[in-house]
Amino acid sequence: MFDLGFGEIVLILIVALVVLGPERLPKVARSLGNMLGKVRTFVGTVKSDIAAQMDEHELRDLGNSLRESTAALRREMEGSLSTLEQQVNEMRSDLGSTAWQRLPEMRTPEDFAADMPTYTAPKRSLLNQSRQRHKNQARKIPSRPRLRARTHSPRQSS
């Protein structure tokens, strides 16, 4: 905006000193500094308000775009769900008509019994005979003499 160099500022100070005099110059400089500080504070406040308004506007736009994308996603999901439901219903109708036809003929437990050989439990006397035979075989085995291994101990010389 204004392009003031060092020389121009010195010239302005010399003119102010001549016009205002040495008595009033410090008071004017002090009040001018205070006013400049207030202007800077006011400009900073305006800038922050403008930035807040822009952020608020951006957040509003972001919220709107988020709502739109959510609505589009919801529509897409509902479309996919309805397509999936149609496919499931078609599969049910296809399976419902032929499922009973594909099942094998029902069999009863008697049918399974006819395929299985009959099992008769051994009589008690057969069990006793088996046990007796086992005992007899155990008695016939002669006991072997146990051999001991020699242990060699080193000879001690006296």
Side-chain angles (χ1 to χ4, degrees):
M1 199 154 99
F2 295 108
D3 190 20
L4 297 175
F6 182 72
E8 294 165 342
I9 292 175
V10 170
L11 182 65
I12 291 172
L13 288 175
I14 292 173
V15 171
L17 181 63
V18 170
V19 172
L20 296 175
E23 297 167 358
R24 290 187 355 198
L25 183 64
K27 292 180 185 176
V28 171
R30 200 174 297 126
S31 64
L32 187 62
N34 287 337
M35 285 178 23
L36 186 62
K38 288 180 183 179
V39 168
R40 283 186 179 172
T41 305
F42 176 73
V43 169
T45 305
V46 169
K47 282 184 179 180
S48 67
D49 287 345
I50 290 173
Q53 290 291 329
M54 290 183 71
D55 288 343
E56 187 177 312
H57 181 69
E58 288 175 4
L59 286 175
R60 219 177 292 131
D61 289 344
L62 181 65
N64 290 338
S65 66
L66 185 62
R67 282 188 205 99
E68 290 172 3
S69 63
T70 305
L73 183 62
R74 180 174 287 138
R75 285 190 300 270
E76 184 178 333
M77 292 294 288
E78 288 173 354
S80 298
L81 183 63
S82 65
T83 304
L84 183 62
E85 286 176 349
Q86 289 174 355
Q87 290 176 352
V88 167
N89 289 336
E90 288 174 8
M91 291 173 80
R92 281 185 184 162
S93 64
D94 290 345
L95 289 176
S97 62
T98 61
W100 292 107
Q101 296 168 357
R102 284 187 279 149
L103 286 176
E105 183 181 322
M106 283 191 87
R107 296 179 69 185
T108 60
E110 289 81 22
D111 295 336
F112 290 106
D115 295 342
M116 301 289 289
T118 57
Y119 174 75
T120 56
K123 296 181 180 175
R124 189 73 175 162
S125 62
L126 292 176
L127 286 175
N128 288 336
Q129 290 173 3
S130 172
R131 286 183 187 149
Q132 189 64 35
R133 196 175 323 128
H134 180 66
K135 285 180 184 178
N136 291 339
Q137 288 177 354
R139 285 186 205 148
K140 290 179 182 176
I141 298 174
S143 63
R144 295 183 187 166
R146 293 191 179 197
L147 300 176
R148 289 190 210 171
R150 286 191 193 179
T151 56
H152 296 285
S153 58
R155 293 188 183 185
Q156 295 178 355
S157 55
S158 18

